[in-house]
Amino acid sequence: MTETGWPLIPREVLPAPVPAAKRRPPPRPPGQTSEAGRQLPIFGAGTTEPSPGDLAGLLAGPGRLGRMGGTARVSVVVDAAWRVHVLAAELVSRGLVVNWRPVETTETDKSGEPGTTAQETGDDQPTEAQITEVDDPPEPRPRFEVLTAYSRRLNGLAQAWPEAAAELFLSGPRLRLWVAAAGEPVPGGYALGLDPEKDATEIDAALVRAGLAGRLSEDGRQYLIKGKRRVARLAELVGERPPAAPEDLWPRGAAA
């Protein structure tokens, strides 16, 4: 049985999320309530109504846009089950039908040739000194693809993209989707995942306009936002952590 708003994703078949870490909240000043004394940003996720146009945040990162007839859809591959939960809830709240599926990954040697554990010496059996132990390769992390159904609700985004990237405004709701899909803390800051096949010049300019100036990682797969002030700015824009997201992976937890 499915719940209202989850036409293609019964909750009982969603991948189990990673349990969120529990941490005691910091003490508040005397007489201050939970939100008192903290002004919400004007364009933050907590003060801006969600809309299908927010999926531009996914397209700024690793998301892909698909078109069919007079409809469009957005898909993104994520590396953790909790991201499926968060994205599904966020996209359904924008009036979109959502689906997900596991992605199979295969690990291959970079050289394309099988590795060797011993050098040839002319003898049938290698000596003990020539045997090299090889550790078992780590199991690849499970990956999932989250994708919307083709919908006319995304036509405006599809018609404007990719030209709209040149003047992209990364509001809190758009950044929230990006963080949910591909955000993670890194030493000294926070990283947003990118599609290395896309030109990141316009995305870099959009992040600078949002007060989140950073730089590309060496492999071009992440945008690195360094410094407590900028990470705190990101945390304010994306809003409170969703229940399914681990606290230490959400910007506010990383900035603490």
Side-chain angles (χ1 to χ4, degrees), residues 1-13:
M1 179 180 295
T2 59
E3 300 180 16
T4 303
W6 296 76
L8 293 182
I9 311 182
R11 282 186 183 271
E12 59 268 21
V13 300

Coordinates of all heavy atoms in Angstrom, one line a residue, residues 1-13:
M1 N 0.9 -1.2 0.0 CA 0.0 0.0 0.0 C 0.9 1.2 0.0 O 1.8 1.3 0.8 CB -0.9 0.0 1.2 CG -1.8 1.2 1.3 SD -2.9 1.2 2.8 CE -3.9 -0.2 2.4
T2 N 0.6 2.2 -0.8 CA 1.4 3.4 -0.9 C 0.6 4.5 -0.2 O -0.6 4.5 -0.1 CB 1.6 3.8 -2.4 OG1 0.4 4.0 -3.0 CG2 2.4 2.7 -3.1
E3 N 1.4 5.5 0.2 CA 0.9 6.7 0.9 C 0.6 7.8 -0.1 O 1.2 7.8 -1.2 CB 1.8 7.2 2.0 CG 2.1 6.1 3.0 CD 3.1 6.7 4.0 OE1 3.3 7.9 4.1 OE2 3.7 5.9 4.8
T4 N -0.3 8.7 0.2 CA -0.6 9.8 -0.7 C 0.7 10.6 -0.9 O 1.4 10.9 0.0 CB -1.6 10.7 0.0 OG1 -2.8 9.9 0.3 CG2 -2.0 11.8 -0.9
G5 N 0.9 10.9 -2.2 CA 2.1 11.6 -2.5 C 3.3 10.8 -2.9 O 4.4 11.2 -3.2
W6 N 3.2 9.4 -2.7 CA 4.3 8.5 -3.0 C 3.8 7.5 -4.0 O 3.8 6.3 -3.8 CB 4.8 7.8 -1.7 CG 5.3 8.7 -0.7 CD1 4.7 9.6 0.1 CD2 6.7 8.9 -0.5 NE1 5.6 10.3 0.9 CE2 6.8 9.9 0.6 CE3 7.9 8.4 -0.9 CZ2 8.0 10.3 1.1 CZ3 9.1 8.8 -0.4 CH2 9.2 9.8 0.6
P7 N 3.3 7.9 -5.2 CA 2.7 7.0 -6.1 C 3.6 5.9 -6.6 O 3.1 4.8 -7.0 CB 2.2 7.9 -7.2 CG 3.0 9.1 -7.1 CD 3.3 9.3 -5.7
L8 N 4.9 6.2 -6.7 CA 5.8 5.2 -7.3 C 6.8 4.7 -6.3 O 7.7 3.8 -6.6 CB 6.5 5.7 -8.5 CG 5.7 6.0 -9.7 CD1 6.5 6.5 -10.8 CD2 4.9 4.8 -10.1
I9 N 6.8 5.2 -5.0 CA 7.8 4.8 -4.0 C 7.1 4.4 -2.7 O 7.0 5.2 -1.8 CB 8.8 5.9 -3.8 CG1 9.3 6.4 -5.1 CG2 9.9 5.4 -2.9 CD1 10.4 7.5 -4.9
P10 N 6.6 3.2 -2.6 CA 6.1 2.8 -1.3 C 7.2 2.9 -0.2 O 8.3 2.5 -0.5 CB 5.7 1.3 -1.5 CG 5.5 1.2 -3.0 CD 6.5 2.1 -3.6
R11 N 6.9 3.4 0.9 CA 7.9 3.7 1.9 C 8.6 2.3 2.3 O 9.8 2.3 2.7 CB 7.3 4.3 3.2 CG 7.1 5.8 3.0 CD 6.6 6.4 4.3 NE 6.3 7.8 4.2 CZ 7.2 8.8 4.3 NH1 8.5 8.5 4.6 NH2 6.9 10.1 4.2
E12 N 7.8 1.2 2.3 CA 8.4 0.0 2.8 C 9.5 -0.6 1.8 O 10.2 -1.5 2.2 CB 7.3 -1.1 3.0 CG 6.5 -1.4 1.7 CD 5.3 -0.5 1.6 OE1 5.2 0.6 2.2 OE2 4.3 -0.9 0.9
V13 N 9.6 -0.1 0.6 CA 10.6 -0.6 -0.3 C 11.7 0.4 -0.5 O 12.6 0.1 -1.3 CB 10.0 -1.0 -1.7 CG1 8.9 -2.1 -1.5 CG2 9.4 0.2 -2.4

